[in-house]
Amino acid sequence: MSAPGAAPLTGLRVIDLATLFAGPLCATMLGDFGADVIKVEHPSKPDPSRGHGPTKDGVGLWWKLLGRNKRNLTLDLACPGGRDLLLRLAADTDVIIENFRPGTLERWGLGPTELHAVNPRLVLVRVTGFGQFGPYAHRPGFGTLAEAMSGFAAITGEPDGPPTLPPFGLADSIAALATSFAVMAALAGRDRTGEGQVVDMAIIEPILTVLGPQPLWYDQLGYVQPRTGNRSRNNAPRNTYRTSDGQWVAVSTSAQSVAERVMRLVGREELTEEPWFASGTTRAEHSDELDEAVGHWIGRRTRDEAISAFEKAEAAIAPIHDIRDVMEDPQYRALDSITEVDDPELGPLRMQNVLFRLSGTPGGIRWAGRPHGADTEEILTGLGLSGEEIAALRSERVL
């Protein structure tokens, strides 16, 4: 195998105008694979993620992850000086990511018409809660609302309990992944046509896509998926089970052969002869019986004993980890999924590594999130501004 080359997005310039969280996370992923990402923040109103969650020595730790591989510029886009500087940057930029409410960029004179006038090859990515048009387009939109509206919350939780929202930014994260793909698709289109375009990403849509065939089921059968807790309507046994040492494991039997191995392992091979055992859907109709068999067997063994026996039987099981376990898990360690980054503010940091491994042109973490406006002078000097001009912009509060 040849030695790895430069990261695949080296030479691509991305301007990140977005906040909280889908747009910025998309920009982070592009930066991880070599894109030159310039994070633009308001001079007096930094990205709110800098203040989300725990801090150390007054430094927001979430930002260290979300802001990695980004250069930081302060710019007030609502004033003429800020608008002019962004247009100058846009002239030599491949992708701009924004998440203002529809019409905001247009009000500032920075809409698609103005941006494409200075750079016809630009890809403008617009990430909003509800998209650029429709009756909800101008509402404030957050991932939580997408988790509610998409049907996710309705199917999450115990059957007799309330709908349940995730305790992290699920919809935003899914939207970030989808937006990253949209950017690459738009750039591939540009390679063929020579022209940029506008990407309209509504956060309510990617999570709806990953929820599977629910619209099709309802359209054709009138079927509405209920809440089933940890159980699945598509296969069984599938649940979490407590071990004798008070730990928890998860078991899945999506494949018929795995379901048969599990039942042989727990000493209930006779159940595999039942007619209903022949498919995941009909097995799910007998979840009580299957859960009792598996849960009883696992409940008499420690977590390590249960996992070892399942592995020998080539059946699917995993421990229920909290973050302490994740940090020590040997598989994550082998993959370097949690990697160490040296940071001049806080010293060595451990955070998630880049999202996947490329054998020829791998990504990497060059630096963790930097202070607010840390690269302003470097970026503007690169645009050709003198020290006097930068000082004047600061006095005018453009920077």
Side-chain angles (χ1 to χ4, degrees):
M1 182 182 297
S2 60
L9 301 184
T10 298
L12 191 79
R13 171 169 283 182
V14 176
I15 296 178
D16 175 10
L17 304 180
T19 58
L20 293 178
F21 281 99
L25 182 55
C26 168
T28 301
M29 294 173 183
L30 299 175
D32 284 349
F33 287 91
D36 174 22
V37 180
I38 297 175
K39 173 70 177 181
V40 177
E41 298 174 87
H42 191 278
S44 61
K45 301 173 185 175
D47 188 313
S49 66
R50 290 182 180 272
H52 267 56
T55 64
K56 180 181 179 183
D57 299 336
V59 178
L61 296 175
W62 202 331
W63 173 252
K64 287 297 179 183
L65 174 67
L66 192 63
R68 74 189 190 192
N69 293 334
K70 298 179 183 181
R71 297 192 288 156
N72 293 272
L73 167 69
T74 59
L75 210 56
D76 185 349
L77 301 178
C79 69
R83 172 190 181 276
D84 293 344
L85 283 175
L86 186 71
L87 288 174
R88 289 178 66 174
L89 279 170
D92 192 31
T93 289
D94 299 283
V95 180
I96 291 180
I97 303 171
E98 64 100 358
N99 72 334
F100 300 106
R101 289 199 208 182
T104 301
L105 282 188
E106 286 81 354
R107 189 171 70 249
W108 292 338
L110 290 168
T113 300
E114 292 84 1
L115 290 169
H116 284 140
V118 300
N119 183 355
R121 291 173 54 81
L122 178 72
V123 173
L124 175 61
V125 183
R126 318 195 78 171
V127 184
T128 56
F130 305 105
Q132 294 295 307
F133 57 91
Y136 302 165
H138 287 82
R139 293 182 181 179
F142 297 99
T144 297
L145 308 187
E147 290 147 10
M149 285 182 57
S150 62
F152 171 84
I155 64 170
T156 306
E158 294 299 323
D160 56 351
T164 302
L165 294 168
F168 66 101
L170 177 63
D172 276 296
S173 300
I174 295 171
L177 289 164
T179 305
S180 301
F181 172 70
V183 167
M184 302 314 297
L187 291 172
R190 187 183 73 173
D191 288 344
R192 291 198 302 272
T193 67
E195 297 181 354
Q197 59 184 298
V198 176
V199 174
D200 179 4
M201 176 61 70
I203 296 174
I204 60 172
E205 291 184 305
I207 189 171
L208 178 61
T209 296
V210 302
L211 282 171
Q214 292 188 54
L216 183 60
W217 286 341
Y218 180 74
D219 176 63
Q220 295 296 302
L221 302 172
Y223 176 77
V224 178
Q225 183 172 333
R227 289 192 289 281
T228 57
N230 291 323
R231 288 178 171 177
S232 169
R233 301 286 290 198
N234 305 311
N235 68 81
R238 189 262 198 182
N239 213 327
T240 60
Y241 306 93
R242 193 166 191 173
T243 59
S244 64
D245 53 350
Q247 303 295 312
W248 291 86
V249 295
V251 171
S252 178
T253 57
S254 296
Q256 181 69 22
S257 60
V258 173
E260 293 170 1
R261 291 174 200 154
V262 169
M263 301 320 296
R264 286 196 294 269
L265 173 64
V266 303
R268 298 298 303 275
E269 185 172 2
E270 77 281 1
L271 294 177
T272 67
E273 305 300 323
E274 296 287 348
W276 50 261
F277 199 87
S279 77
T281 301
T282 51
R283 289 201 312 274
E285 296 170 359
H286 295 261
S287 291
D288 286 342
E289 185 174 2
L290 295 172
D291 267 347
E292 193 282 329
V294 175
H296 178 73
W297 186 91
I298 289 176
R300 291 182 295 136
R301 289 160 176 81
T302 66
R303 186 183 72 173
D304 289 347
E305 289 170 344
I307 290 174
S308 177
F310 266 69
E311 287 182 349
K312 289 178 182 176
E314 297 185 353
I317 192 170
I320 303 293
H321 279 345
D322 65 18
I323 192 58
R324 294 167 295 187
D325 303 310
V326 170
M327 300 293 271
E328 301 300 327
D329 186 278
Q331 183 62 32
Y332 280 127
R333 285 194 168 192
L335 297 174
D336 196 28
S337 304
I338 307 294
T339 197
E340 186 170 284
V341 180
D342 189 41
D343 180 67
E345 284 190 288
L346 299 178
L349 307 172
R350 286 195 292 169
M351 63 174 67
Q352 297 96 318
N353 208 338
V354 300
L355 196 57
F356 47 85
R357 289 159 292 281
L358 297 178
S359 62
T361 55
I365 303 172
R366 288 161 283 162
W367 59 80
R370 290 176 172 171
H372 183 226
D375 305 289
T376 296
E377 291 197 15
E378 174 195 318
I379 293 167
L380 295 185
T381 300
L383 273 182
L385 274 70
S386 67
E388 291 76 14
E389 288 174 307
I390 293 172
L393 289 167
R394 288 193 187 280
S395 67
E396 297 166 10
R397 298 186 179 180
V398 174
L399 310 180

